[in-house]
Structures are given as structure tokens and as C-alpha cells.
Amino acid sequence: MRWHKRLLVAGVAGAVAMTATACAGGQVRGADRTPKPSATTSESAAAATKANDATFVYAPNLDVVTDWDPATSYSNEIIAMSNIYEGLTRYNTQSQKPEPRLATEWTSADGGKQWTFKLRQGVKFHTGAPMDAGAAKKAIERTIKMNAGAAYIWGSVKTIETPDPATLTFTLKYAAPLDLIASSGYAAYIYDTAAADKLKDGKTDAGTGPYTIDTWQKGKETELTLKAYEDYWGGWKPEQYKKIAFRVTPEITTAWQLLQKGEVNFVERLNPQLFEKAGATQGVQTSQTPSFQNLLLLFNTATGPMKDVRIRQALQLALDYDGLVAALKGAGKKSTGLVPQGLIGYTANLEPKQDLPKAQELLAEAGYGRDLPELKLKMTYAQGDEDQKLLVTLLSSALKELNVSLEAKPMAWNAQWDQGKKQGQDIFVMYWYPDYADAYSWFLNVFRSADKPQFNLSYLKNTEIDKEIDALPQLTATDKFAAEQSYATIQKQIIQDQAAVAVPYVQTYQRALTADVQGYVDNPAYPNVVFFYDLKPAS
Amino acid sequence: MPRYLARRLGQAVLVVAGVVVLTFAIMRLVPGDPAVAFAGPKATAEELAAARLRFGLDDAIPVQLWNYVRDLVTGDWGISLRTRQPVREDLLLAFPASLELVGAALLIAIAVGIPVGVLAARYKTKFPDFGVRVASMLAVSVPVFWLALALQTVFASNLGWFPVAGEYDSVLDTTSPLTLWTNITVVDALITGNWPIFTSTLEHLVLPALVVAAYPAGVIAQMTRAALIEESGQDHARLERALGFGETSILTRFALRPALNPVLSLIALVFAYAIVNGFLVEAVFNWPGLGRYAVESIHSLDTPAIAGVTLLVAMVYVLANLVVDLLQGVVDPRARAR
């Protein structure tokens, strides 16, 4: 053998040797299936066609599952888990109320400190075990005990009792809207705790939902497939999708091409240009829904020039809200107040407007502005976020006219947050969203006084506002009308009186689906989740 | 030879040690607290403290470096902040797919680059040479991301000749499940005679492999051309001409063998380079390799995963160079003296 041939052979041998480390030792890719002999070409093509006909393909841009445990799961897997597991209730954005799921009815007493849920009868976990009050109690108690992910949502729970197999009674330490809490997309799943230790490898699940795990291949393009759970309590109609596939597609342009070819049915977000194109493309339909995620410009109320409320108010008036929303091309909707539409607390009359003369006047009163000393401000925002970059461009240009220079620094979240906790900027830009459909999250986390700021990055300290915030859970649990009023009052105090924040827009979900999918409704309480059970292909 | 072997191995170990220190420094120099990336954007102070304790982030830097090196040597490459899985396991899942793509790309690059280089050398300064030089210059300089999108749009989306993305048709997981031995799909399909997956993988490989092959093919063609032109000016070529051999015969029968020596060294280098160059191609074609893992890790500032990818790629570089050095030492005794 000639030497260069030997070299080539050695190279190939080396490559094979390297991969030997990854040797899988004869495992079958996919589920625990015995390898079948290869079908004939026509047979496999026919089978493929049949399988494709019944499969709904979702194209997420990130890996689907990082945590299979329903107690601790707190990430992108919500898009799959919400179809495998169910909670006691599910939030309806239209009615702004939680609706029955595993619980059919519920009542509260003792000023929102006592809650009784009646459970649906005849429900079985995918493990075959019956779902009753005892099982639900064990699931919630395990989630609380694990104390990870969003387990904090059960923080108000003191005891759980099961007077009979169909009744679950909660006694709370303090009043809270437990029907809303139980609708959370995280940490509120009811699951069979007996199977909890076997969930890690993604081969089985312990939910009650309409779908169950078929295959999970971590790191693969089609990472996860689900199949219909035949004994689902809601029953099945022939036209519903029985198989679901999650095909991970990080590149938006690739997702768009796959959608056009009908290889995927749902793309969770396209860029504005492609979304516009999708709206005019045959075979594709689009859906646009305001989310529960809004952008906050938190002004430093504690130190630096923005300690002066007139400067904070000037900043609120300087931003071109309409121009920004227009430039976002549908990716954002102008906000009114802190609470997005669809949540209790949404206030329609707090729409912000640009007013440069008024802003100039306020700045002049504070000793800055045209023909006065230049005001220099530091702002931090998320690296790689094009929407925030657009905001920076528009705000900088508006402020320049007022003799205010903005030093805007894009940063990775953990670095930005670290600096924020040390009060290292004048304006902190971040998104906020609730873990369940309750506006309380904005007020408790972002605006309640804190000695060591965690998310209160406007550093607002106001005991009156704190008192009103602390009263919100009880009001929401007992008197929704009073809660609405209180939310409106607090928002006026925070936005108008204290000028601690500017809220430029609420993000809009821009989905693209193949035209043959019917029944899709975006529910922003469950970000990026498609409830496949509600869909059917056009006949 | 043993001294030569020991010297080269020693150098390789030093390079890897340097990379280990560098990756550790990168992990610690990245602004922000890695505990935040692990515990999530809404982590409480207690959760952050628990994460810091788990990853030893409160230890002194020399202690952290020592723990990092000790863990690496014992096969513990850390826990990914994003996937919550051991980084080594993640890499072992992703690397075979990258190897499959780069292997196919290198086969294409060699099959195209060497004959094209010979053609250019044979017709030096004439039209074929000009054409090859322009084409190879384009292949080397065109951004892979753009090339990937262009080929995907034209040949997959518009003409429909090839699949848009993916490693193989996922329906085959149901109709024709693959038994894994090496984790390299095309190899496993071949070994087990799984022809539906084998043919589907080849179809899916064509476009991404062509894109990844562009740079190596251009470089190999240029290097082959230059080496052949140099060899054809040597004394032995003048003798061969005097003996009546034609130019084509001189190039292919006598000059090609010595000219391939630097070309083979180059292939070892471009192999490792192509793995990194392929990251963006993998993202465009949804290829489930290191690229997707690296891109998602960078996006979420998953420093242990980024360090793992860096270290793995560095080891591939070092290994490829070591293999070439050792083989050159075997075939050319003068190399051992250098």
C-alpha cells in the first residue's frame, strides 16, 4: 500500500476511533421499539403518508425539553407539557377567568383563605392510576416540597385536605386567588407521584392530558413526538390530530421554508418581513395576538439625575410610542398601563403619548435641556434584541433634540442584572411576564420596596404603594371589581405620580400556520403553547 | 522515533493544557454571574446562592481552576446551564452528526479539489487555470451562511430537488427505526442495512455538505495547483520531459505524489476548521450537530457548554495535527529531525 493511501486509511480509522467514544451499542433511535425489518419501498412510503396525514408538526426555535419533572419544569418544555399534563383550572383570556379542567367547580370562603375544588370524575393518569383528590394532594405537596422552578406559586398554601375522593380543600396562610394560581402553566400540574422518579429520561409521563410521550430524542431535529392518550377524559373525535411532532428549527428562514412546503404546521415567530409575506402567501395563515409580556423602562428613582421626578416624567414624554410601534411592524402593540389586556387590572385610560414641548419644559425646570447643561444618562438593555435596539435608536434621537445624551449599553441578561442590582444605570430595560395569569406579579416583584433589589430595578420605595400592593391578592380572591379599581390606582401612582417606569409596548405573538389547520386560538397565559387537542385539519 | 513521538505528544499535551486554562479564563471573564444563567431570569436570592454553591463559584479562583482541571481529567466536563445535563453527554450526542457532515464535506472537497488543482496546474496561465483560480477564490471567500441560504432557497425551496432541512425524514423513525452503533446515522444505516434511512440521509446531506465543502475544496485546489507547479519545475520533471513523457503524465504519475504531502497536511487542518465553519451551516439546515448546540449555548451564555465545545474543537485540531506529524515522521525521516 502506498504511503498516502496508508495515511488516508489511518485518517478514516482515526475518525471511526473518535466516534467510538460515542458508540451507542445497538440502541434503537426513538422509543423503546424492537427494530422492525425494513419495509418495502412502497409499504414504507404508504406508512409515511398515513403518519404524515395525522401528524401536526410544531417548529420551535429552541430545544424543547430540559426538565421532564412536572414539579420543577420551568422552561421551553411548557409547549409540550401543557398538552401532556393538566392543572385544576385553565385561564381563558377572553372571559378573564379560570375555567374548569381537572376541577369542575370551586368555591372560596373566609375572605379568600379557604378554597374547595370539586374534581372531575373518571379521569385516569397515563400510568393507568385514577386521578382523585388524594393523588392531586400528593402532586401539589410534592411540587411544594421540591421548591424549584415556579413552586413559589403555592406559597400561600397552609394545608390541603381531602374530605372525599372528589373534593380538594385548601386552607391558606393569607388570602390568594387560588383558582388563578391553579391555572399556571408552571408548577400547577396534577400528576401521578408514584411515577415521578421514572420521568427523567422522557420515556414515560404521569399526566392526565390528551397526549402522551411517544419518542424523545434529545439533540435531534425531531426532538419529541407525542401520541393521543386513548383514554383521555375528553374523548376523541376522528378529525383531531392524534400525533404531534416538535421539529426544532433555530433559523427563522428555514422555518419559513419548511412551512411553505407544508413540512411543518406551526412556526411560533417569524420576523416582521417574513410575517408580512406569510400573510399574503397561499397555503399559509397567520395569527397575531397581544402577549402578556411588556417592555419596561425602569427609571432609577434612588440615585443619579433621575432621582428628580421631573426628569423621569420628561423621559416618559420624550419617547415616540407611536413611531416605535409602527417600526415594530406588528411585533408590538402600544401599551396602556402596566397590565396587559386580558388580565385583571388592565386599565384602558393610561395610554402614553409623546409630548416633546412638555418634556423640554420639565427638563428646564430640573436645570437641563436646550441652552442649559447637557444631561447624560446611562441605559442598559438586552444584547441581541432587535426590538429593544429600535427603542434605543428612537429614544436617543428624541433625547438629542432635548440636549440629553443617552449612553445605551447592550448587555447579556446576567451581566445587566448584576449591574442593575448595584444601581449601576439610570434606565434599566427589561421584559416582564407573569408565571400565571395574574397582574400581581408586576407589582410584587418589580415595584414593591426592597432593601436588596432583586427585580425592583427602579428602586422605588413607597410604603403607601406597598400597602396597596399587599392588599391585591385578597381583593382578587374576593372582590374582582375592587381589585380592578385598586390596580388602576396603583398604576396611576407608579406611572404618573412616581414616574418610575415607562411602558412602550406589549409584545405581540406573530404566528404562522399552514392554512389547513382549523381551531387555533393563541392563549397568552401559556406562552407559545398550542393546545393540539383543540385543532383539526381542514377536510 | 520514540523521542520524536514523545516530543510531539508533549507538545500536544501542552497545547491542550493551554486551551484548558484559556477556556477556564473565558468562563470566568464573561461578565455576569453564571448562577443566574442556571437558576433562571426570575431566580430568588436563595436559588442563586444554591446554584453558586453547587458550581463552587464562591471558591478562590485557583481552587476553581484546580477543580475544573481535575474534573476534566476524570471525564466530568461540567453541567450545562441550559440543558441541565452533563456537557460531555451533550457533546457525545451532537459530535457524531457534525463528524458525519464534515466527513461528507471533506470527501467532496478532496474529490473535487485535487483533480481541479491538477487541471489548473496542467493548463497553467490558460483559461482552465483562470477558471479554477476564480472559482476556488469564490469558494474560499463566499460567506458560508449566505451560501447555505442561497442553495437552500434555490435547490430545496424553489426547485424542490433536495429536502429543505434535517438529517433524514423523521417519519422513518416510525417506519424504519435505526439501530445505533456509532451514532453516525449514515454509517449506522449502512452497517445495519437500513436503506430507507441511508438514502434519506444522503439526500439530506447533499446541500449542507456542498456548502461546508466549498472552503476546503477551494483551498485544496489552490494548494494542489501550487505544489504541482513547483514539483513540475524540479530536476526530476526535466528528466521526465527529456525521456519523452507528456505534461499530463509528468503531473499525474510523478509530480502528484510528492505534491500531495503538503495537501494532506492541509486536509488535517481544514478538517478541524470545517467543524467550526459548519456551525452556521448546521443552523440553517437544522443539522443536529455541534453547531446547533454551540449556537444555543452562546445565545444563553451557557459557559460550561461553550467551554466544552471550545475544548473539543481544540482537541480535534491537536489530534489531527498530531496524526499528520506522526505520519509524516513515518514516511519522511527528515521530519523527525525538525
Side-chain angles (χ1 to χ4, degrees):
Chain A
M1 196 187 284
R2 288 181 182 177
W3 68 265
H4 56 270
K5 285 183 183 167
R6 284 206 306 265
L7 193 61
L8 202 61
V9 169
V12 172
V16 172
M18 274 197 287
T19 56
T21 52
C23 183
Q27 291 170 338
V28 179
R29 183 172 282 167
D32 285 338
R33 277 189 292 261
T34 311
K36 286 183 269 184
S38 296
T40 63
T41 313
S42 59
E43 277 169 354
S44 65
T49 311
K50 197 179 169 189
N52 262 340
D53 284 347
T55 303
F56 183 92
V57 185
Y58 182 128
N61 63 350
L62 292 170
D63 288 346
V64 182
V65 182
T66 50
D67 186 355
W68 272 118
D69 192 325
T72 56
S73 154
Y74 195 30
S75 191
N76 198 38
E77 59 269 4
I78 185 176
I79 60 176
M81 299 286 259
S82 296
N83 288 283
I84 299 169
Y85 292 90
E86 293 173 307
L88 296 174
T89 61
R90 183 190 287 174
Y91 189 74
N92 183 321
T93 317
Q94 305 302 319
S95 65
Q96 297 190 5
K97 282 180 187 165
E99 289 185 339
R101 190 71 2 195
L102 290 179
T104 52
E105 54 186 284
W106 54 91
T107 53
S108 74
D110 191 16
K113 286 173 80 175
Q114 187 88 25
W115 287 81
T116 303
F117 289 83
K118 286 283 175 195
L119 299 187
R120 193 177 294 280
Q121 295 298 290
V123 179
K124 279 203 292 185
F125 290 113
H126 301 166
T127 56
M131 193 289 298
D132 57 16
K137 173 179 160 35
K138 279 183 190 167
I140 296 169
E141 284 178 345
R142 179 177 176 272
T143 299
I144 294 170
K145 195 178 168 194
M146 298 279 284
N147 192 27
Y152 74 89
I153 64 169
W154 299 108
S156 60
V157 175
K158 190 175 167 188
T159 57
I160 306 174
E161 277 158 38
T162 56
D164 61 69
T167 309
L168 202 56
T169 306
F170 294 83
T171 305
L172 307 188
K173 294 175 224 165
Y174 48 88
L178 208 63
D179 53 347
L180 272 182
I181 292 169
S183 74
S184 170
Y186 307 102
Y189 301 124
I190 303 300
Y191 52 95
D192 182 2
T193 51
D197 294 339
K198 299 169 199 155
L199 304 177
K200 198 182 166 189
D201 59 5
K203 286 185 176 165
T204 55
D205 64 77
T208 58
Y211 297 90
T212 183
I213 299 170
D214 187 12
T215 63
W216 181 49
Q217 303 175 78
K218 188 173 165 310
K220 287 290 164 194
E221 187 202 15
T222 301
E223 184 189 323
L224 175 68
T225 59
L226 305 178
K227 61 184 177 192
Y229 173 54
E230 295 300 337
D231 291 335
Y232 181 55
W233 57 264
W236 287 96
K237 291 175 189 155
E239 65 269 24
Q240 285 171 302
Y241 286 101
K242 303 288 184 343
K243 284 188 78 76
I244 309 298
F246 292 89
R247 192 170 172 180
V248 183
T249 311
E251 270 304 310
I252 284 177
T253 47
T254 307
W256 167 237
Q257 299 202 38
L258 289 170
L259 185 75
Q260 277 180 292
K261 293 197 77 139
E263 290 189 34
V264 301
N265 298 98
F266 179 86
V267 177
E268 63 184 38
R269 191 181 178 182
L270 294 171
N271 60 37
Q273 291 75 24
L274 284 179
F275 186 76
E276 200 178 341
K277 205 172 168 186
T281 302
Q282 206 178 6
V284 176
Q285 60 175 315
T286 55
S287 156
Q288 198 157 250
T289 313
S291 73
F292 286 169
Q293 175 163 291
N294 56 13
L295 190 70
L296 307 178
L297 271 70
L298 296 166
F299 302 142
N300 188 337
T301 60
T303 56
M306 296 201 73
K307 202 174 170 185
D308 186 333
V309 70
R310 292 168 299 186
I311 294 179
R312 302 200 297 267
Q313 286 166 337
L315 261 285
Q316 284 178 328
L317 294 165
L319 184 57
D320 180 3
Y321 299 91
D322 293 317
L324 178 61
V325 169
L328 287 170
K329 293 181 180 169
K333 188 187 169 210
K334 200 172 165 186
S335 68
T336 69
L338 275 165
V339 182
Q341 197 166 7
L343 290 173
I344 296 166
Y346 169 71
T347 310
N349 59 359
L350 283 172
E351 192 170 305
K353 271 185 189 163
Q354 186 185 37
D355 187 345
L356 287 175
K358 179 77 181 158
Q360 192 181 339
E361 200 180 295
L362 285 162
L363 277 175
E365 280 175 28
Y368 297 100
R370 290 177 198 155
D371 307 322
L372 289 166
E374 185 190 37
L375 173 62
K376 291 182 178 175
L377 297 175
K378 284 182 186 169
M379 176 161 125
T380 58
Y381 67 102
Q383 199 170 42
D385 188 311
E386 290 302 315
D387 296 347
Q388 291 190 28
K389 206 171 159 186
L390 204 59
L391 163 91
V392 168
T393 309
L394 287 175
L395 185 61
S396 301
S397 123
L399 290 177
K400 209 171 176 184
E401 286 181 39
L402 302 171
N403 198 24
V404 178
S405 73
L406 188 66
E407 188 195 317
K409 193 175 173 190
M411 299 176 86
W413 166 252
N414 51 3
Q416 188 196 5
W417 193 24
D418 265 1
Q419 186 177 310
K421 284 188 272 189
K422 293 171 194 153
Q423 304 192 358
Q425 76 294 316
D426 300 306
I427 307 167
F428 189 99
V429 183
M430 71 171 185
Y431 292 109
W432 193 261
Y433 55 92
D435 287 333
Y436 59 95
D438 190 353
Y440 181 55
S441 165
W442 272 269
F443 300 89
L444 173 71
N445 293 289
V446 189
F447 295 106
R448 200 186 183 286
S449 305
D451 289 333
K452 279 187 179 177
Q454 205 47 20
F455 293 106
N456 180 351
L457 299 165
S458 68
Y459 322 113
L460 183 68
K461 280 192 176 176
N462 187 307
T463 45
E464 268 184 41
I465 293 178
D466 289 349
K467 269 186 206 165
E468 290 177 67
I469 290 175
D470 292 343
L472 286 170
Q474 183 164 9
L475 285 176
T476 311
T478 55
D479 185 347
K480 294 223 169 19
F481 180 74
E484 298 269 13
Q485 299 292 314
S486 186
Y487 271 120
T489 308
I490 302 174
Q491 285 179 82
K492 277 179 192 153
Q493 286 173 314
I494 292 171
I495 298 174
Q496 291 177 349
D497 304 345
Q498 298 292 327
V501 64
V503 193
Y505 63 87
V506 177
Q507 274 198 328
T508 305
Y509 292 133
Q510 293 182 308
R511 321 292 195 188
L513 301 90
T514 48
D516 60 337
V517 176
Q518 293 181 345
Y520 174 70
V521 178
D522 207 337
N523 187 338
Y526 307 92
N528 303 324
V529 171
V530 176
F531 291 102
F532 306 114
Y533 184 77
D534 300 338
L535 308 180
K536 61 177 185 177
S539 54
Chain B
M1 188 65 187
R3 283 185 62 192
Y4 173 74
L5 182 69
R7 200 167 65 233
R8 286 286 185 256
L9 276 174
Q11 285 168 350
V13 169
L14 271 180
V15 172
V16 172
V19 172
V20 168
V21 174
L22 198 68
T23 50
F24 176 80
I26 290 167
M27 283 197 292
R28 291 297 170 266
L29 286 175
V30 169
D33 187 347
V36 175
F38 183 78
K42 289 187 178 178
T44 61
E46 292 76 32
E47 285 166 346
L48 287 175
R52 294 187 64 77
L53 184 70
R54 177 173 176 179
F55 294 110
L57 295 169
D58 293 325
D59 294 336
I61 292 291
V63 175
Q64 288 187 43
L65 176 61
W66 165 249
N67 290 342
Y68 180 61
V69 173
R70 184 199 59 205
D71 290 346
L72 280 180
V73 171
T74 55
D76 177 359
W77 287 35
I79 302 289
S80 161
L81 304 177
R82 182 177 59 85
T83 68
R84 314 291 171 106
Q85 299 293 318
V87 170
R88 188 168 158 270
E89 277 181 26
D90 284 348
L91 293 175
L92 288 179
L93 267 177
F95 189 51
S98 291
L99 210 57
E100 179 180 47
L101 177 60
V102 171
L106 276 191
L107 285 178
I108 295 171
I110 292 166
V112 172
I114 292 177
V116 158
V118 172
L119 183 75
R122 172 65 185 83
Y123 297 101
K124 190 177 70 167
T125 71
K126 292 189 178 135
F127 180 74
D129 181 28
F130 176 74
V132 167
R133 276 193 289 164
V134 169
S136 59
M137 189 66 77
L138 270 176
V140 168
S141 54
V142 70
V144 283
F145 188 72
W146 181 87
L147 187 60
L149 283 174
L151 291 193
Q152 188 186 51
T153 306
V154 174
F155 294 104
S157 204
N158 294 348
L159 296 174
W161 292 357
F162 298 99
V164 173
E167 194 182 15
Y168 59 88
D169 187 345
S170 61
V171 171
L172 295 171
D173 274 336
T174 311
T175 57
S176 185
L178 178 66
T179 304
L180 300 175
W181 290 98
T182 66
N183 259 333
I184 302 176
T185 303
V186 76
V187 173
D188 289 338
L190 191 63
I191 292 171
T192 58
N194 190 330
W195 306 121
I197 286 196
F198 181 71
T199 50
S200 180
T201 308
L202 287 185
E203 272 174 19
H204 283 76
L205 252 177
V206 173
L207 290 183
L210 279 175
V211 178
V212 177
Y215 179 85
V219 174
I220 290 170
Q222 291 198 3
M223 176 62 91
T224 307
R225 174 187 175 276
L228 277 176
I229 289 171
E230 193 185 332
E231 279 299 323
S232 63
Q234 300 289 324
D235 289 345
H236 69 82
R238 280 197 285 277
L239 176 64
E240 286 144 14
R241 273 187 206 99
L243 290 170
F245 287 101
E247 281 304 310
T248 306
S249 188
I250 291 168
L251 284 177
T252 54
R253 289 179 62 184
F254 304 108
L256 186 58
R257 197 170 72 174
L260 277 183
N261 201 356
V263 174
L264 289 170
S265 305
L266 184 75
I267 290 170
L269 283 174
V270 292
F271 168 70
Y273 177 79
I275 288 178
V276 179
N277 205 30
F279 281 8
L280 287 172
V281 182
E282 288 183 8
V284 171
F285 287 100
N286 264 10
W287 198 261
L290 269 184
R292 195 175 100 189
Y293 183 72
V295 168
E296 286 191 10
S297 302
I298 291 166
H299 187 69
S300 52
L301 266 187
D302 183 353
T303 44
I306 297 167
V309 172
T310 310
L311 191 59
L312 178 65
V313 172
M315 284 169 70
V316 171
Y317 260 104
V318 169
L319 195 67
N321 278 292
L322 184 67
V323 169
V324 169
D325 281 352
L326 294 179
L327 288 171
Q328 278 187 336
V330 172
V331 297
D332 184 358
R334 288 173 302 176
R336 292 180 225 161
R338 286 200 288 266

